[in-house]
Amino acid sequence: MTHSIQVKDLKLDFGSVSVLKNLNLDVAEGEFIVLLGPSGCGKSTLLNCLAGLLDITDGEIWIKNKNVTWAEPSDRGIGMVFQSYALYPQMTVRGNLSFGLKNAKVPKDEIDRRIARAAEILQIQPLLDRKPAALSGGQRQRVAIGRALVRDVDVFLFDEPLSNLDAKLRAELRVEIKRLHSRLNNTMIYVTHDQIEALTLADRIAIMRGGIIQQLAAPQEIYNRPVNLFVAGFIGSPAMNFIKGAVVDNGRSIKLGEAKLDLAGYDGGQPTDRPQAILGLRPEHLTIQDHAEPGHTIPAVVELDEPMGADSLVWLMVQGQQVSVRVPFEKRPTKGAQVHLKVDISKASIFDATTELRV
Amino acid sequence: MADLSNPRGTRPKSRFTLNNIVLYGILGLMSIYYLLPLYVMVMTSLKDMAEIRMGNIFAPPVEVTFHPWVKAWAEACTGLNCDGLSRGFWNSVMITVPSVIISIIVASVNGYALVNWKFKGSEVFFTILIFGSFIPYQIMLYPIVIILRELGIYGTLGGLIMVHTIFGMPILTLLFRNYFSSLPEELFKAARVDGAGFWGIYFQIMLPMSMPIFVVALILQITGIWNDFLFGVVFTKPEIYPMTVQLNNIVNSVQGVKEYNVNMAATMLTGLVPLIVYFVSGKLFVRGIAAGAVKG
């Protein structure tokens, strides 16, 4: 596997504030990596470091087996797409696309060839002689992508490119970016705080918090086996339920108040006993039924439900804690009913309450 | 059900409400307050001395004469020179034009660098620069005289131009810095990824987006430097006095008869340049001042 990007022990401080802490990241060629995290987690900062727009405090950045830690942004072989499009307002679309190439002294006919190709891929040929002010949001972002495209680079950096668009356009352009990736096969690093974008686009997702990558894995892996409580709570909508309990019986069962669940089939081996554990259950992995099945169900009381179209999100009280369950709209139970929640333990996650790590 | 989405019929007229009467009344009074002196000056400058001596300063001239204007421009005496304000006018042009151009160029590059190319200590540098605008000019007069003397440019146009350029720096740098920091930072980043350097970004990206603020700076500097009296009188000598100093010398000369009509004409001539600048660029000026709040 050839490396496209390698980040080694990257550190970045703003004064006394440490923004990125000993960050390591290996990206394979042609891989689509999404940096995902809440505001202020350092994801955009990391992207700016990769682009060379921020001087790092310590560490190394390699792109295409070349140490570019101190190289100029334009010499790193990257193209970048910004949230606010950042199109030069006084230039036409053609001027925007050719600006970088003129700076790099690319011959005129080569510039024309590359603009024609980018315009064809992004279907912006009719817009080439317009100014950015005369374009819609979606068209502007297409031109911004085109500006990265004409640079003929191996690595694309996207800094929340769809955040300024309305929901419908966002979904359209999301598919288009995915199509672009499968056509060009470039390495793409994509920053977002939208988990739908992350789950749909990424080959691998890097979940960040406080300047540290919490988990770097394929979307399904992150969804099914989150490494810690933070990742578990961050990914998934509606969010994962957490129920406090204790692992007992030499790791064979988990005790939730009065109820006990059998841990046979838990994805992650047999855990060891611990008095303080948290059981993580996704709303879509729970089912509501009338009868108890010892070892597989927990008793619950229906509180209220939130219809969401096809589904309904039902909120229940379990041992004094709130739990949500996703059920088909027509199967939602009546308010106040005493029911039993069937738990699919193979899809559950158990976390240690003190270390917050998955066991 | 009635359609309430659109108003129908004519909008009720309300020309003579109490609000309007008070509003236009105050506006009218204020206009008279400011226009009256101008009116007196124009009228007086068009009369001959005999008519002025009759005393009614508000009466329009019985016989319009432009001789005071000609005399103020070309014949009035200051000291040994009797070529009127024309000499001062050209001196002021030679002082104002280079001072304005140099100070705006330097300050715009300053502001651009302070926003987009922050260096170690750039904030301290900026603070010190701004602090400079709070020190009264009088304190700095004598030290500057010494500096200019040591540099060998005391009493020259070059010396005065340098002083004007330096004293324009704090406010202009602040102006440009604030404007440039209102432009989206991502534009600058995009240009860097596109391989543009310090000057490339300045000339090709920033300059074309900054015309409004350049107009504001132009107006501030032209009027400020044109109207300057203190630096002109301290740092130059009689042959190269700017127009304001020469005006003072004409108006305040103690010999002979006070020629009010010539004085009025001379004053208006001196004020003409800033006045024209305001009238020509008034709209641009307001747009520029407001531009800081506008997002692309």
Side-chain angles (χ1 to χ4, degrees), chain A residues 214-229 231-232 235 240 265-269 282 285 346-351 357-359:
Chain A
Q214 305 274 314
Q215 186 170 12
L216 173 64
Q220 278 313 309
E221 171 78 7
I222 287 193
Y223 187 77
N224 291 327
R225 295 159 56 102
V227 289
N228 59 28
L229 269 182
V231 174
I235 276 278
M240 189 185 254
Y266 173 65
D267 184 11
R282 295 209 178 273
H285 297 153
S346 68
K347 288 181 173 158
S349 294
I350 298 170
F351 303 94
L357 294 176
R358 190 178 198 267
V359 295

Side-chain angles (χ1 to χ4, degrees), chain A residues 30 32 175-186 188:
Chain A
F32 200 127
V175 177
E176 216 162 298
I177 288 176
K178 187 145 192 168
R179 206 172 285 144
L180 191 71
H181 180 239
S182 69
R183 172 168 179 173
L184 301 173
N185 241 325
N186 292 31
M188 293 190 175

Side-chain angles (χ1 to χ4, degrees), chain B residues 107-236:
Chain B
S108 62
V109 176
N110 269 354
Y112 160 64
L114 284 171
V115 170
N116 289 318
W117 299 85
K118 290 202 174 73
F119 48 93
K120 229 185 176 126
S122 59
E123 292 301 309
V124 177
F125 172 81
F126 179 66
T127 311
I128 293 172
L129 191 66
I130 295 306
F131 187 69
S133 60
F134 293 112
I135 300 173
Y137 289 172
Q138 297 86 315
I139 292 176
M140 294 188 266
L141 283 182
Y142 187 50
I144 291 174
V145 169
I146 296 172
I147 291 170
L148 291 180
R149 185 191 67 200
E150 294 304 312
L151 290 173
I153 51 175
Y154 177 72
T156 65
L157 278 179
L160 185 59
I161 289 168
M162 194 180 93
V163 171
H164 277 309
T165 304
I166 291 170
F167 275 84
M169 238 6 83
I171 186 71
L172 284 186
T173 303
L174 178 71
L175 197 72
F176 279 108
R177 176 184 170 276
N178 288 355
Y179 184 81
F180 285 134
S181 66
S182 76
L183 297 179
E185 195 195 358
E186 292 191 338
L187 267 179
F188 170 76
K189 288 182 175 177
R192 284 201 68 197
V193 173
D194 270 340
F198 185 93
W199 296 110
I201 295 174
Y202 175 76
F203 283 112
Q204 295 184 66
I205 308 296
M206 295 299 175
L207 261 194
M209 296 178 67
S210 313
M211 279 311 124
I213 207 66
F214 273 88
V215 172
V216 172
L218 213 60
I219 294 169
L220 280 181
Q221 282 300 85
I222 290 177
T223 52
I225 295 172
W226 189 272
N227 287 336
D228 162 70
F229 177 83
L230 182 65
F231 292 159
V233 80
V234 174
F235 300 124
T236 54

Side-chain angles (χ1 to χ4, degrees), chain A residues 236-256:
Chain A
S237 173
M240 189 185 254
N241 298 298
F242 297 117
I243 308 172
K244 291 196 187 94
V247 178
V248 291
D249 301 342
N250 290 323
R252 277 199 293 277
S253 42
I254 185 162
K255 200 167 173 326
L256 306 165

Side-chain angles (χ1 to χ4, degrees), chain A residues 48 52-53 72-74 78 80 82-84 86-91 99-100 103 147 151, chain B residues 117 184 186-197 200-201 204-206 208-209 296:
Chain A
N48 277 304
L53 295 167
E72 279 294 307
S74 49
I78 53 139
M80 193 157 173
F82 297 92
Q83 179 180 353
S84 67
L87 299 178
Y88 313 125
Q90 71 277 12
M91 300 180 193
F99 182 66
N103 285 325
R147 196 166 53 182
R151 291 175 56 77
Chain B
W117 299 85
E186 292 191 338
L187 267 179
F188 170 76
K189 288 182 175 177
R192 284 201 68 197
V193 173
D194 270 340
I201 295 174
Q204 295 184 66
I205 308 296
M206 295 299 175
M209 296 178 67

